[in-house]
Amino acid sequence: MEKTPKQKVKEVFGKNADKYVTSNSHAKGDDLPLIVEWLQPKKTWTVLDIATGGGHVTKTLAPHAGTVFSTDLTEEMLENTAKHLRGSFDNIQYVVADAEALPFLKESFDAAVCRIAPHHFPHPDRFIKEAARVLKKGGKFILIDNVAPADQELAEFMNTTEKLRDDSHSRCLPKEEWANLLEQNGLVELKSADRKKTFDYPSWVARTVESEAQMEQVSLHLLSADEKATEYFSIETSAGKIQTFTIDEWMALYEKTDH
């Protein structure tokens, strides 16, 4: 029987939980201090970290907020994150939660953050609806994720690359699609930033592939890129092997209105 998208997510992240704690692109991104700078969290706030993964957003926000609810769909991932953060903070609550069906009452949180996870969500519209629902009026929401280029061919190339490497990948949306979903749910943009993110290819591909054959498939796909894709994604090779490539990332701060 074919696994559902969420079963695939649980399987991939359950097996690779510790890799996401130590991953440089997750643990050391310069967007982490920006989250604090943009939100300006207060000690009276209750904050939601949606799909925490390795817990980097939770770790970043815990010193500045009253309580942080650290959530993830994958129980093994959340347990591993709790193990790494245990003893460092006493204001974190860990909750197994589906980003598309959050187990919280409406208007529960002063702020919510979701970082480098939504491309795994099969129904991004439900995720945004849920994020808006649990925010208080005037609550802040930060979305950070890899985004597809507006060009359809480049978008397809990017999403194929991600899917070949990680079967739990759903879809990287273009930022315009995210903006529409956010606005439809009563969220108003306060600021946003287009960013470029360069991956060290060997460590990036090794994080989720399950065999040499799968790794070869990803490499062959990237090496088959036409001139437009090679230039757009800055695919760098040495001796016929991929060294780095670059994708688009979008970071946006929104506020919940009286919608």
Side-chain angles (χ1 to χ4, degrees), residues 147-151 154-155 157-158 195-196 226-235 245-249:
V147 290
D151 180 287
L154 292 173
F157 184 87
M158 177 186 180
R195 299 158 52 85
K196 292 285 186 181
D226 61 19
E227 187 177 348
K228 181 169 74 170
T230 300
E231 183 177 339
Y232 189 88
F233 297 110
S234 301
I235 301 170
F245 74 104
T246 301
I247 63 168
D248 296 321
E249 183 181 76

mmCIF file of all heavy atoms in Angstrom, residues 147-151 154-155 157-158 195-196 226-235 245-249:
data_model
loop_
_atom_site.group_PDB
_atom_site.id
_atom_site.type_symbol
_atom_site.label_atom_id
_atom_site.label_comp_id
_atom_site.label_asym_id
_atom_site.label_seq_id
_atom_site.Cartn_x
_atom_site.Cartn_y
_atom_site.Cartn_z
ATOM 1 N N VAL A 147 11.709 28.437 -1.522
ATOM 2 C CA VAL A 147 10.614 28.761 -2.432
ATOM 3 C C VAL A 147 11.022 28.491 -3.878
ATOM 4 O O VAL A 147 12.196 28.583 -4.241
ATOM 5 C CB VAL A 147 10.152 30.233 -2.293
ATOM 6 C CG1 VAL A 147 9.437 30.442 -0.971
ATOM 7 C CG2 VAL A 147 11.313 31.202 -2.437
ATOM 8 N N ALA A 148 10.023 28.140 -4.679
ATOM 9 C CA ALA A 148 10.258 27.853 -6.088
ATOM 10 C C ALA A 148 10.333 29.155 -6.876
ATOM 11 O O ALA A 148 9.649 30.128 -6.555
ATOM 12 C CB ALA A 148 9.137 26.976 -6.632
ATOM 13 N N PRO A 149 11.132 29.174 -7.924
ATOM 14 C CA PRO A 149 11.150 30.354 -8.802
ATOM 15 C C PRO A 149 9.790 30.528 -9.476
ATOM 16 O O PRO A 149 9.022 29.571 -9.607
ATOM 17 C CB PRO A 149 12.226 30.011 -9.844
ATOM 18 C CG PRO A 149 13.010 28.881 -9.256
ATOM 19 C CD PRO A 149 12.085 28.144 -8.361
ATOM 20 N N ALA A 150 9.503 31.732 -9.912
ATOM 21 C CA ALA A 150 8.244 31.992 -10.617
ATOM 22 C C ALA A 150 8.218 31.277 -11.972
ATOM 23 O O ALA A 150 7.154 30.857 -12.442
ATOM 24 C CB ALA A 150 8.058 33.494 -10.815
ATOM 25 N N ASP A 151 9.387 31.121 -12.588
ATOM 26 C CA ASP A 151 9.494 30.415 -13.869
ATOM 27 C C ASP A 151 9.102 28.948 -13.669
ATOM 28 O O ASP A 151 9.705 28.238 -12.857
ATOM 29 C CB ASP A 151 10.929 30.520 -14.376
ATOM 30 C CG ASP A 151 11.153 29.823 -15.707
ATOM 31 O OD1 ASP A 151 11.170 28.581 -15.732
ATOM 32 O OD2 ASP A 151 11.305 30.516 -16.728
ATOM 33 N N LEU A 154 11.904 26.206 -14.135
ATOM 34 C CA LEU A 154 12.859 26.209 -13.023
ATOM 35 C C LEU A 154 12.225 25.663 -11.748
ATOM 36 O O LEU A 154 12.871 24.946 -10.980
ATOM 37 C CB LEU A 154 13.377 27.629 -12.794
ATOM 38 C CG LEU A 154 14.271 28.209 -13.891
ATOM 39 C CD1 LEU A 154 14.569 29.671 -13.618
ATOM 40 C CD2 LEU A 154 15.568 27.413 -14.033
ATOM 41 N N ALA A 155 10.946 25.989 -11.528
ATOM 42 C CA ALA A 155 10.230 25.485 -10.357
ATOM 43 C C ALA A 155 10.133 23.964 -10.404
ATOM 44 O O ALA A 155 10.345 23.273 -9.395
ATOM 45 C CB ALA A 155 8.841 26.101 -10.280
ATOM 46 N N PHE A 157 12.116 21.928 -12.029
ATOM 47 C CA PHE A 157 13.460 21.370 -11.842
ATOM 48 C C PHE A 157 13.813 21.319 -10.353
ATOM 49 O O PHE A 157 14.332 20.310 -9.861
ATOM 50 C CB PHE A 157 14.490 22.207 -12.601
ATOM 51 C CG PHE A 157 15.882 21.643 -12.534
ATOM 52 C CD1 PHE A 157 16.308 20.703 -13.455
ATOM 53 C CD2 PHE A 157 16.767 22.046 -11.544
ATOM 54 C CE1 PHE A 157 17.593 20.164 -13.393
ATOM 55 C CE2 PHE A 157 18.048 21.522 -11.468
ATOM 56 C CZ PHE A 157 18.463 20.574 -12.393
ATOM 57 N N MET A 158 13.517 22.399 -9.641
ATOM 58 C CA MET A 158 13.831 22.462 -8.209
ATOM 59 C C MET A 158 13.052 21.419 -7.427
ATOM 60 O O MET A 158 13.603 20.686 -6.595
ATOM 61 C CB MET A 158 13.515 23.859 -7.667
ATOM 62 C CG MET A 158 13.735 24.003 -6.176
ATOM 63 S SD MET A 158 13.177 25.617 -5.584
ATOM 64 C CE MET A 158 13.556 25.462 -3.849
ATOM 65 N N ARG A 195 16.008 35.681 -0.049
ATOM 66 C CA ARG A 195 17.337 35.242 0.347
ATOM 67 C C ARG A 195 17.834 34.143 -0.595
ATOM 68 O O ARG A 195 17.032 33.471 -1.244
ATOM 69 C CB ARG A 195 17.301 34.704 1.787
ATOM 70 C CG ARG A 195 16.858 35.735 2.805
ATOM 71 C CD ARG A 195 16.318 35.108 4.096
ATOM 72 N NE ARG A 195 17.202 34.154 4.684
ATOM 73 C CZ ARG A 195 18.212 34.447 5.514
ATOM 74 N NH1 ARG A 195 18.435 35.712 5.852
ATOM 75 N NH2 ARG A 195 18.996 33.519 5.999
ATOM 76 N N LYS A 196 19.120 33.969 -0.660
ATOM 77 C CA LYS A 196 19.730 32.867 -1.396
ATOM 78 C C LYS A 196 20.412 31.940 -0.381
ATOM 79 O O LYS A 196 21.044 32.406 0.575
ATOM 80 C CB LYS A 196 20.768 33.378 -2.401
ATOM 81 C CG LYS A 196 20.178 34.170 -3.568
ATOM 82 C CD LYS A 196 19.496 33.256 -4.577
ATOM 83 C CE LYS A 196 19.026 34.029 -5.807
ATOM 84 N NZ LYS A 196 18.333 33.137 -6.785
ATOM 85 N N ASP A 226 19.926 22.159 -17.853
ATOM 86 C CA ASP A 226 20.280 22.969 -19.016
ATOM 87 C C ASP A 226 20.971 24.254 -18.548
ATOM 88 O O ASP A 226 21.146 24.489 -17.346
ATOM 89 C CB ASP A 226 19.048 23.266 -19.879
ATOM 90 C CG ASP A 226 17.963 24.057 -19.135
ATOM 91 O OD1 ASP A 226 18.274 24.690 -18.096
ATOM 92 O OD2 ASP A 226 16.809 24.048 -19.598
ATOM 93 N N GLU A 227 21.354 25.068 -19.484
ATOM 94 C CA GLU A 227 22.128 26.265 -19.148
ATOM 95 C C GLU A 227 21.360 27.205 -18.227
ATOM 96 O O GLU A 227 21.920 27.788 -17.290
ATOM 97 C CB GLU A 227 22.509 27.000 -20.443
ATOM 98 C CG GLU A 227 23.448 28.175 -20.224
ATOM 99 C CD GLU A 227 23.870 28.842 -21.533
ATOM 100 O OE1 GLU A 227 23.617 28.269 -22.605
ATOM 101 O OE2 GLU A 227 24.442 29.946 -21.460
ATOM 102 N N LYS A 228 20.058 27.331 -18.488
ATOM 103 C CA LYS A 228 19.239 28.236 -17.662
ATOM 104 C C LYS A 228 19.213 27.783 -16.207
ATOM 105 O O LYS A 228 19.414 28.579 -15.280
ATOM 106 C CB LYS A 228 17.817 28.308 -18.230
ATOM 107 C CG LYS A 228 16.901 29.243 -17.441
ATOM 108 C CD LYS A 228 15.587 29.520 -18.168
ATOM 109 C CE LYS A 228 14.647 28.346 -18.125
ATOM 110 N NZ LYS A 228 13.281 28.694 -18.615
ATOM 111 N N ALA A 229 18.969 26.484 -15.988
ATOM 112 C CA ALA A 229 18.897 25.955 -14.618
ATOM 113 C C ALA A 229 20.270 25.964 -13.948
ATOM 114 O O ALA A 229 20.386 26.294 -12.760
ATOM 115 C CB ALA A 229 18.317 24.543 -14.637
ATOM 116 N N THR A 230 21.300 25.598 -14.707
ATOM 117 C CA THR A 230 22.660 25.597 -14.148
ATOM 118 C C THR A 230 23.045 26.981 -13.646
ATOM 119 O O THR A 230 23.620 27.142 -12.568
ATOM 120 C CB THR A 230 23.676 25.121 -15.203
ATOM 121 O OG1 THR A 230 23.340 23.794 -15.607
ATOM 122 C CG2 THR A 230 25.089 25.137 -14.640
ATOM 123 N N GLU A 231 22.687 27.995 -14.430
ATOM 124 C CA GLU A 231 23.006 29.369 -14.050
ATOM 125 C C GLU A 231 22.136 29.837 -12.886
ATOM 126 O O GLU A 231 22.634 30.433 -11.928
ATOM 127 C CB GLU A 231 22.814 30.290 -15.253
ATOM 128 C CG GLU A 231 23.203 31.729 -14.971
ATOM 129 C CD GLU A 231 23.076 32.615 -16.204
ATOM 130 O OE1 GLU A 231 23.070 32.084 -17.336
ATOM 131 O OE2 GLU A 231 22.965 33.845 -16.023
ATOM 132 N N TYR A 232 20.826 29.545 -12.964
ATOM 133 C CA TYR A 232 19.919 30.045 -11.921
ATOM 134 C C TYR A 232 20.265 29.454 -10.557
ATOM 135 O O TYR A 232 20.277 30.167 -9.541
ATOM 136 C CB TYR A 232 18.464 29.718 -12.272
ATOM 137 C CG TYR A 232 17.486 30.395 -11.338
ATOM 138 C CD1 TYR A 232 17.006 31.680 -11.600
ATOM 139 C CD2 TYR A 232 17.081 29.779 -10.146
ATOM 140 C CE1 TYR A 232 16.160 32.324 -10.723
ATOM 141 C CE2 TYR A 232 16.227 30.415 -9.262
ATOM 142 C CZ TYR A 232 15.762 31.689 -9.559
ATOM 143 O OH TYR A 232 14.924 32.333 -8.675
ATOM 144 N N PHE A 233 20.519 28.140 -10.522
ATOM 145 C CA PHE A 233 20.788 27.471 -9.252
ATOM 146 C C PHE A 233 22.283 27.423 -8.919
ATOM 147 O O PHE A 233 22.671 26.793 -7.936
ATOM 148 C CB PHE A 233 20.188 26.059 -9.259
ATOM 149 C CG PHE A 233 18.683 26.048 -9.378
ATOM 150 C CD1 PHE A 233 18.060 25.612 -10.535
ATOM 151 C CD2 PHE A 233 17.892 26.506 -8.334
ATOM 152 C CE1 PHE A 233 16.671 25.619 -10.653
ATOM 153 C CE2 PHE A 233 16.511 26.530 -8.432
ATOM 154 C CZ PHE A 233 15.902 26.086 -9.603
ATOM 155 N N SER A 234 23.082 28.109 -9.719
ATOM 156 C CA SER A 234 24.536 28.208 -9.475
ATOM 157 C C SER A 234 25.141 26.839 -9.164
ATOM 158 O O SER A 234 25.823 26.661 -8.143
ATOM 159 C CB SER A 234 24.820 29.185 -8.322
ATOM 160 O OG SER A 234 24.325 30.462 -8.613
ATOM 161 N N ILE A 235 24.880 25.868 -10.019
ATOM 162 C CA ILE A 235 25.384 24.511 -9.810
ATOM 163 C C ILE A 235 26.879 24.492 -10.109
ATOM 164 O O ILE A 235 27.307 24.710 -11.233
ATOM 165 C CB ILE A 235 24.629 23.503 -10.703
ATOM 166 C CG1 ILE A 235 23.122 23.545 -10.394
ATOM 167 C CG2 ILE A 235 25.170 22.088 -10.491
ATOM 168 C CD1 ILE A 235 22.268 22.764 -11.379
ATOM 169 N N PHE A 245 25.196 24.088 -4.743
ATOM 170 C CA PHE A 245 24.177 24.716 -5.565
ATOM 171 C C PHE A 245 23.348 25.617 -4.666
ATOM 172 O O PHE A 245 23.391 25.501 -3.434
ATOM 173 C CB PHE A 245 23.314 23.682 -6.315
ATOM 174 C CG PHE A 245 22.316 22.944 -5.477
ATOM 175 C CD1 PHE A 245 20.970 23.252 -5.532
ATOM 176 C CD2 PHE A 245 22.723 21.908 -4.643
ATOM 177 C CE1 PHE A 245 20.046 22.571 -4.762
ATOM 178 C CE2 PHE A 245 21.800 21.213 -3.873
ATOM 179 C CZ PHE A 245 20.463 21.545 -3.936
ATOM 180 N N THR A 246 22.615 26.534 -5.282
ATOM 181 C CA THR A 246 21.944 27.597 -4.533
ATOM 182 C C THR A 246 20.463 27.645 -4.875
ATOM 183 O O THR A 246 20.079 27.516 -6.041
ATOM 184 C CB THR A 246 22.603 28.955 -4.861
ATOM 185 O OG1 THR A 246 23.990 28.897 -4.506
ATOM 186 C CG2 THR A 246 21.934 30.092 -4.097
ATOM 187 N N ILE A 247 19.640 27.819 -3.844
ATOM 188 C CA ILE A 247 18.196 27.932 -4.057
ATOM 189 C C ILE A 247 17.672 29.227 -3.439
ATOM 190 O O ILE A 247 18.379 29.907 -2.694
ATOM 191 C CB ILE A 247 17.431 26.729 -3.465
ATOM 192 C CG1 ILE A 247 17.606 26.683 -1.937
ATOM 193 C CG2 ILE A 247 17.868 25.421 -4.103
ATOM 194 C CD1 ILE A 247 16.666 25.711 -1.256
ATOM 195 N N ASP A 248 16.419 29.535 -3.751
ATOM 196 C CA ASP A 248 15.761 30.710 -3.182
ATOM 197 C C ASP A 248 15.109 30.359 -1.848
ATOM 198 O O ASP A 248 14.536 29.280 -1.687
ATOM 199 C CB ASP A 248 14.671 31.221 -4.128
ATOM 200 C CG ASP A 248 15.230 31.709 -5.449
ATOM 201 O OD1 ASP A 248 16.300 32.338 -5.447
ATOM 202 O OD2 ASP A 248 14.598 31.453 -6.498
ATOM 203 N N GLU A 249 15.198 31.302 -0.930
ATOM 204 C CA GLU A 249 14.507 31.173 0.352
ATOM 205 C C GLU A 249 13.747 32.477 0.606
ATOM 206 O O GLU A 249 14.217 33.555 0.228
ATOM 207 C CB GLU A 249 15.515 30.913 1.478
ATOM 208 C CG GLU A 249 14.882 30.689 2.841
ATOM 209 C CD GLU A 249 15.933 30.459 3.917
ATOM 210 O OE1 GLU A 249 16.570 31.448 4.346
ATOM 211 O OE2 GLU A 249 16.131 29.301 4.315
#
